[in-house]
Amino acid sequence: MLHYFWPMQKDIQLFDLLHKELERQRNGIELIASENFTSYQVIQAMGSVPTNKYAEGYPGKRFYGGCEVIDEIESLAIDRLKKIFNASWANVQPHSGAQANTAVFLACLKPGDKILGLDLSMGGHLTHGSPANFSGKYYQALSYGVKKETGTIDYDHMEATAKAERPKMIICGASAYSRDWDYKRIRAIADSVGALVLADIAHPAGLIAKGLLNDPFEHCHFVSSTTHKTLRGPRGGIIMMRHDFDNPFGVKDPKGNIRPMSALLDLAVFPGIQGGPLEHIIAAKAVAFGEVLTDEYTVYAKQVIANAQAMAKSFVKRGYDLISNGTDNHLMLIDLRNKNITGKKAQETLDKAHITLNKNAVPFDDKSPFITSGIRVGVPAITTRGLKEVHMEPIVEMIDTVLNNIDNNSKIEVVKEEVHEFMKEFPLYPEIEAGEVATA
Ligand code: DSN
């Protein structure tokens, strides 16, 4: 049996599973819009010694001894992140995007305050006010949506709801929205009712980093993100501000003092919602941020958009119904109702051909979130593997073949073989070799 080749490994059972997962990632076409493949040095930093260290607190202000190197690691991550987005303050400790958003709410709002976010069923995120999430349980969550005719954000609806309800915070950003955002208009709406604006850029962060989409920092008070989607870093979260300011809602620090937002946000992350930071992940974030600052990454980010647009065109050409008719970013949302296939069936059948994507509700969906009428397709991961515009048509052709032969297992088996053959051209982690392990 082949074993995952890693120096000094002893746990064959577990490392065999890691090898299996590596092979799955290598062989398949990865189209989950929120996934990506980090560089090998990001993986190495993640699997490294800071995992052994407790470092509650922040650089220079820790609750444990022995943090002098950790301070340098975390400061490097913060400095690089601030440089990417021209931010004046950043916190790199949130364990995830959900934690980042939780901390922003905790820093600014009181339980029961009103928040206004994009409806989950229209492409929003759980943490933007879903009743199933803390954001919908502890705050009075209101939502805006997209326009039925265009599939684009209904800013008039956002404005009317804001004026009628006067929320304390407006949240923009999405998990399944393929168009850019009008941050200027959102800020004007927020200012007219005295609300703060949080832009959750988890999905397009890497494209915004390179100026390929509108800049939320110009208009939004806070920007949160994950680090593992288009940013191509380890799994985690971040919060940033370009301009610090005093919290207008009178939220105080634990000693009862009114403090600037930067201080309240730091306190909200730790000790507000988290304990010890994951410094090995923060080390890997620093590596990824260093990569984002390179010209090579600029080429990558441009290619992501070029690939998404080429893929969208191929889908449209084959009669697929794309919400908003196309994409400005890295993903597209496809309504499969004209193909008479549910999102669930499409996801499960494409999985059999090793084409991975996710079922997704489409705006005004008549099916449950467990079934859905659509699929979400994203290109960040395949772009990392080196695929270009010319490769998008063959992928769409393979998807189309599967969806047109949804119950034909032998046809799907043929596509699976094609997928494996196709992806062999684009090696993933050649640094990791499989081989017999010499067990002591
Ligand atoms: N689950 C993520 C996504 O797939 O978009 C959002 O958190």
Side-chain angles (χ1 to χ4, degrees), residues 32 34 125 175 203 229 376:
I32 294 179
S34 47
H125 188 255
S175 286
H203 267 266
K229 298 185 175 89
R376 186 183 65 165

Side-chain angles (χ1 to χ4, degrees), residues 191-337:
D191 282 349
S192 74
V193 298
L196 297 172
V197 183
L198 164 64
D200 177 345
I201 61 167
H203 267 266
L207 311 177
I208 291 168
K210 292 296 174 180
L212 303 176
L213 293 172
N214 293 334
D215 179 7
F217 287 87
E218 268 183 44
H219 303 287
C220 304
H221 299 88
F222 314 102
V223 177
S224 66
S225 183
T226 55
T227 45
H228 49 273
K229 298 185 175 89
T230 47
L231 270 184
R232 211 164 63 178
R235 199 159 282 281
I238 44 177
I239 313 169
M240 298 158 282
M241 286 190 297
R242 186 165 287 166
H243 307 289
D244 201 358
F245 62 103
D246 287 344
N247 173 29
F249 304 139
V251 173
K252 297 177 177 146
D253 74 8
K255 289 185 180 153
N257 299 317
I258 299 273
R259 302 272 296 278
M261 279 313 321
S262 54
L264 293 173
L265 286 164
D266 277 339
L267 285 164
V269 175
F270 170 82
I273 59 164
Q274 292 186 177
L278 309 177
E279 293 292 345
H280 56 304
I281 298 297
I282 290 172
K285 286 175 179 171
V287 174
F289 299 155
E291 291 172 358
V292 172
L293 287 166
T294 63
D295 292 343
E296 204 180 313
Y297 188 89
T298 310
V299 173
Y300 164 72
K302 286 182 178 162
Q303 190 65 53
V304 166
I305 293 182
N307 283 353
Q309 291 182 350
M311 181 174 273
K313 250 191 218 150
S314 296
F315 273 119
V316 169
K317 201 177 76 189
R318 285 166 193 274
Y320 286 87
D321 181 7
L322 267 60
I323 304 300
S324 87
N325 232 10
T327 181
D328 295 328
N329 56 29
H330 60 297
L331 67 81
M332 60 217 75
L333 187 57
I334 304 178
D335 187 338
L336 291 173
R337 281 177 286 198

Side-chain angles (χ1 to χ4, degrees), residues 383-434:
T383 306
T384 295
R385 289 197 69 173
L387 278 74
K388 304 276 190 304
E389 290 98 311
V390 68
H391 302 114
M392 298 303 114
E393 172 69 18
I395 292 180
V396 173
E397 195 179 336
M398 287 188 260
I399 292 173
D400 195 41
T401 304
V402 171
L403 296 183
N404 285 327
N405 294 277
I406 202 103
D407 291 315
N408 183 342
N409 283 333
S410 52
K411 195 92 181 179
I412 292 164
E413 194 59 29
V414 172
V415 175
K416 185 176 96 180
E417 292 312 314
E418 275 176 44
V419 166
H420 292 182
E421 223 21 67
F422 188 74
M423 290 315 289
K424 269 191 197 151
E425 234 193 278
F426 308 98
L428 180 64
Y429 301 125
E431 303 89 342
I432 304 174
E433 288 169 23

